[in-house]
């Protein structure tokens, strides 16, 4: 398409061609023309905007920022450019500049619902939940059916510990969304903490995930040809966005580090925006380190299939940046989900097994999993405490204070009326005892 555009083409024709490629996801093809077109059409903010947006899609955020700033210098009165610049700043973790540019977009377009919505997300990242909730509600004043605003409200209420409001907003988001985006993830997280829903009711929502986002990929599943190769190593692939500094490392690193490489060939499919020192540890323990950030689900599924992976392991469940829709395409003969990322079923009928223990999934809970339970007689994970720098154990504080102090570091969403009643019963039965509740949810400027 771009080959047909000559130097005499009108910028509108060029922009339309680039937008078509953008909508097709052909980002690398667009960037091949960036230097040429930016030089050729130096005064076109549309050209700069499409290249900035393409760089965001490819996670080249600093290049995107450069594009948008150039566009603003040409014309400082286009709200979309400020919005996109705010988005790029948000991605690099600069929330203050993100918020400032969203404000400028709103100054130019007071009913800019997406700018309000993204400003709320940046405020939430800064820990300002009150401010975030205010912005999301502003979006709903402009567009009462905005699914993203309801989704983000759900996330904020989770952080507030208000699971009833969270669940209500997640359900509204799903209803208004019409299945275009996976807003079920937030709901699946929140309902697990609801004391008012039965396990069977909760499982129904996991089956809904399969109906909406799993089974539609079933036509992509293909049969596997089993070649008999003597002494062939089994190829095991681990899929995760958390091959980095993350709580998962305490469970996963000991396993990865002790694989028998004479019998198994280990692949890590790492969906990382940025690697760190822990990523290098993982990389040193596996035979193949494959970065999957930037790959579409279809591309990753094809990659896994082309490598001949025998056993594919999901380590994320329904946590952020999971690749469950890759597993829905069944790119390996055997697949399983390991509870390291999420402590419950994926809901996907395409995944064969759920690796667990009799303690986590006791006998009688089989009907609550879409996968077949692969139950170990021991705990399903190994825990490596690492260097915690906590110092030596001192004398029991109760010996000097004269009373027992209980403590919890739990998230606020896990605290509900039934939990509080149980704690109250314990405190009542232990004379003069105290309870300390400590969590990052209690910091920031939200008033409880």
């Amino acid at each position: 398409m771009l080959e047909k555009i000559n130097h005499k083409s009108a910028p509108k024709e060029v922009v339309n061609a680039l937008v078509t490629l953008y909508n097709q996801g052909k980002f690398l093809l667009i960037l091949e023309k960036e230097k040429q077109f930016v030089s050729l059409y130096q005064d076109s903010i549309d050209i700069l905007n499409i290249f900035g947006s393409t760089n965001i899609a490819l996670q080249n955020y600093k290049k995107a920022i450069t594009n948008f700033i150039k566009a603003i210098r040409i014309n400082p009165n286009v709200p979309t450019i400020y919005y996109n610049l705010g988005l790029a700043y948000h991605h690099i973790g600069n929330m203050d500049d993100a918020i400032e540019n969203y404000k400028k977009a709103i100054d130019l377009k007071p009913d800019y619902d997406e700018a309000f919505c993204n400003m709320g997300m940046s405020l939430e990242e800064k820990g300002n939940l009150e401010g975030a909730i205010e912005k999301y509600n502003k979006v709903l004043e402009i567009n009462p059916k905005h699914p993203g605003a309801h989704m983000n409200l759900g996330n904020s209420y989770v952080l507030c510990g208000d699971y009833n409001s969270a669940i209500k907003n997640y359900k509204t988001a799903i209803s208004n969304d019409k299945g275009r985006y996976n807003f079920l993830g937030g709901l699946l997280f929140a309902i697990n903490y609801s004391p008012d829903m039965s396990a069977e009711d909760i499982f129904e929502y996991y089956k809904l995930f399969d109906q909406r986002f799993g089974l539609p990929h079933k036509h992509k599943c293909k049969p596997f040809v089993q070649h008999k190769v003597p002494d062939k190593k089994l190829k095991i692939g681990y899929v995760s966005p958390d091959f980095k500094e993350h709580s998962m490392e305490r469970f996963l690193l000991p396993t990865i580090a002790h694989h028998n490489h004479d019998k198994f060939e280990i692949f890590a499919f790492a969906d990382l925006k940025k690697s760190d020192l822990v990523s290098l540890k993982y990389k040193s323990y596996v035979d193949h380190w494959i970065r999957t950030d930037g790959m579409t689900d279809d591309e990753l599924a094809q990659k896994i299939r082309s490598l001949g992976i025998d056993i594919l392991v999901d380590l994320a469940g329904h946590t952020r940046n999971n690749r469950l829709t890759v597993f829905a395409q069944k790119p390996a003969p055997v697949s399983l989900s390991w509870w390291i990322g999420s402590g419950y079923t994926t809901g996907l009928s395409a995944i064969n097994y759920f690796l667990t223990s009799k303690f986590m999934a006791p006998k009688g809970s089989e009907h609550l999993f879409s996968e077949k339970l692969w139950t170990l007689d021991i705990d399903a994970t190994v825990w490596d405490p690492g260097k915690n720098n906590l110092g030596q154990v001192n004398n029991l504080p109760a010996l000097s204070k004269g009373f027992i102090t209980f403590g919890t570091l739990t998230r606020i969403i896990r605290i509900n009326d039934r939990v509080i009643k149980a704690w109250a019963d314990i405190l009542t039965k232990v004379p003069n005892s105290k309870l300390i509740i400590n969590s990052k949810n209690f910091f920031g400027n939200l008033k409880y």
Side-chain angles (χ1 to χ4, degrees):
M1 183 180 297
L2 291 179
E3 287 74 11
K4 298 179 181 179
I5 298 173
N6 56 47
H7 289 192
K8 296 181 180 180
S9 299
K12 183 178 181 180
E13 183 181 350
V14 176
V15 171
N16 288 341
L18 292 172
V19 168
T20 299
L21 291 174
Y22 183 91
N23 291 335
Q24 293 172 348
K26 297 179 179 179
F27 305 124
L28 293 177
L29 184 58
I30 294 173
L31 288 191
E32 288 178 6
K33 299 292 184 179
E34 181 174 12
K35 186 176 181 179
Q36 175 189 348
F37 282 8
V38 169
S39 175
L40 194 60
Y41 306 110
Q42 296 181 18
D43 295 329
S44 173
I45 63 169
D46 290 330
I47 290 289
L48 288 165
N49 188 37
I50 192 67
F51 284 120
S53 298
T54 301
N55 277 304
I56 285 182
L58 292 173
Q59 301 179 8
N60 301 326
Y61 302 122
K62 291 184 179 180
K63 286 185 66 178
I65 290 169
T66 300
N67 290 127
F68 297 133
I69 289 176
K70 285 182 180 178
I72 289 170
R73 287 172 182 164
I74 296 169
N75 186 345
N77 298 309
V78 183
T80 306
I81 306 296
Y82 288 106
Y83 170 84
N84 288 337
L85 179 56
L87 185 62
Y89 277 126
H90 182 103
H91 279 298
I92 65 171
N94 187 342
M95 300 306 154
D96 290 332
D97 281 344
I99 292 168
E100 183 62 28
N101 279 282
Y102 291 139
K103 286 180 179 177
K104 290 178 180 178
I106 292 167
D107 287 341
L108 292 167
K109 185 181 178 183
D111 62 347
Y112 204 158
D113 53 353
E114 294 297 336
F116 277 112
C117 197
N118 278 30
M119 191 192 301
M121 293 171 66
S122 295
L123 288 167
E124 187 175 310
E125 286 289 331
K126 287 173 64 68
N128 184 354
L129 293 182
E130 282 185 319
I133 291 171
E134 178 188 347
K135 300 306 176 188
Y136 299 145
N137 282 322
K138 180 63 178 179
V139 176
L140 296 178
E141 289 178 16
I142 300 169
N143 180 4
K145 292 188 176 182
H146 193 290
H150 282 292
M151 177 69 181
N152 291 339
L153 270 175
N155 294 339
S156 292
Y157 282 125
V158 163
L159 295 174
C160 296
D162 185 351
Y163 55 85
N164 285 326
S165 295
I167 290 171
K168 178 182 177 181
N169 277 280
Y170 285 139
K171 287 183 177 179
T172 303
I174 293 166
S175 175
N176 292 343
D177 176 59
K178 306 302 182 185
R180 289 174 299 151
Y181 299 98
N182 177 19
F183 286 171
L184 270 172
L187 177 63
L188 296 180
F189 176 81
I191 60 178
N192 276 286
Y193 296 110
S194 171
D196 305 316
M197 294 180 67
S198 69
E200 288 73 17
D201 289 340
I202 292 172
F203 183 47
E204 287 299 316
Y205 282 99
Y206 282 85
K207 290 193 288 186
L208 178 61
F209 174 81
D210 192 32
Q211 293 168 19
R212 288 195 177 184
F213 303 103
L215 293 177
H217 294 283
K218 193 172 182 178
H219 69 282
K220 300 176 184 178
C221 302
K222 302 174 183 177
F224 295 92
V225 178
Q226 299 295 329
H227 298 288
K228 292 185 178 180
V229 180
D231 301 320
K232 173 184 177 290
K233 292 182 181 180
L234 272 178
K235 294 183 177 181
I236 302 177
Y238 292 96
V239 182
S240 176
D242 299 319
F243 288 118
K244 58 186 178 182
E245 186 176 351
H246 187 275
S247 58
M248 182 183 79
E249 69 185 89
R250 301 298 184 200
F251 300 97
L252 184 61
L253 266 175
T255 300
I256 299 291
H258 290 88
H259 268 301
N260 184 339
H261 292 267
D262 292 330
K263 295 183 177 180
F264 305 101
E265 191 173 353
I266 308 303
F267 296 73
F269 297 96
D271 202 89
L272 298 172
K273 288 185 178 179
K274 187 177 180 181
S275 61
D276 56 23
L277 293 177
V278 178
S279 304
L280 294 178
K281 284 186 180 180
Y282 282 115
K283 188 175 182 179
S284 70
Y285 291 138
V286 301
D287 299 298
H288 305 277
W289 177 260
I290 301 167
R291 289 286 293 267
T292 62
D293 39 303
M295 285 190 191
T296 66
D297 287 344
D298 287 351
E299 289 170 343
L300 178 52
Q302 180 55 40
K303 180 72 172 178
I304 293 167
R305 182 177 284 273
S306 67
L307 289 170
I309 301 300
D310 297 297
I311 302 173
L312 193 65
V313 185
D314 160 54
L315 297 171
H318 282 279
T319 58
R320 184 177 296 180
N321 298 323
N322 68 74
R323 288 298 193 116
L324 290 179
T325 45
V326 170
F327 283 81
Q329 300 184 36
K330 206 162 183 58
V334 177
S335 58
L336 64 92
S337 184
W338 194 6
W339 77 271
I340 287 178
S342 178
Y344 190 34
T345 181
T346 63
L348 288 179
S349 53
I351 294 184
N352 301 103
Y353 299 99
F354 186 87
L355 185 61
T356 185
S357 70
K358 59 185 178 182
F359 308 106
M360 179 184 173
K363 190 174 181 179
S365 62
E366 295 84 357
H367 67 292
L368 299 173
F369 291 80
S370 60
E371 311 88 353
K372 182 178 180 180
L373 294 183
W374 186 351
T375 306
L376 303 180
D377 291 331
I378 58 174
D379 197 355
T381 58
V382 177
W383 167 255
D384 179 6
K387 295 180 180 179
N388 50 38
N389 299 318
L390 294 179
Q392 297 297 316
V393 177
N394 55 13
N395 293 327
L396 189 69
L399 296 177
S400 58
K401 293 184 177 181
F403 56 84
I404 295 288
T405 302
F406 296 97
T408 176
L409 305 177
T410 192
R411 295 180 181 184
I412 191 172
I413 195 174
R414 295 177 181 141
I415 303 175
N416 55 58
D417 53 350
R418 296 187 186 183
V419 172
I420 292 172
K421 183 180 184 305
W423 286 348
D425 289 343
I426 294 171
L427 292 171
T428 300
K429 293 176 181 178
V430 181
N432 301 318
S433 60
K434 299 181 184 298
L435 171 64
I436 294 177
I437 305 173
N438 194 355
S439 168
K440 69 177 183 179
N441 292 142
F442 296 99
F443 294 90
N445 55 11
L446 181 70
K447 299 174 184 176
Y448 295 96

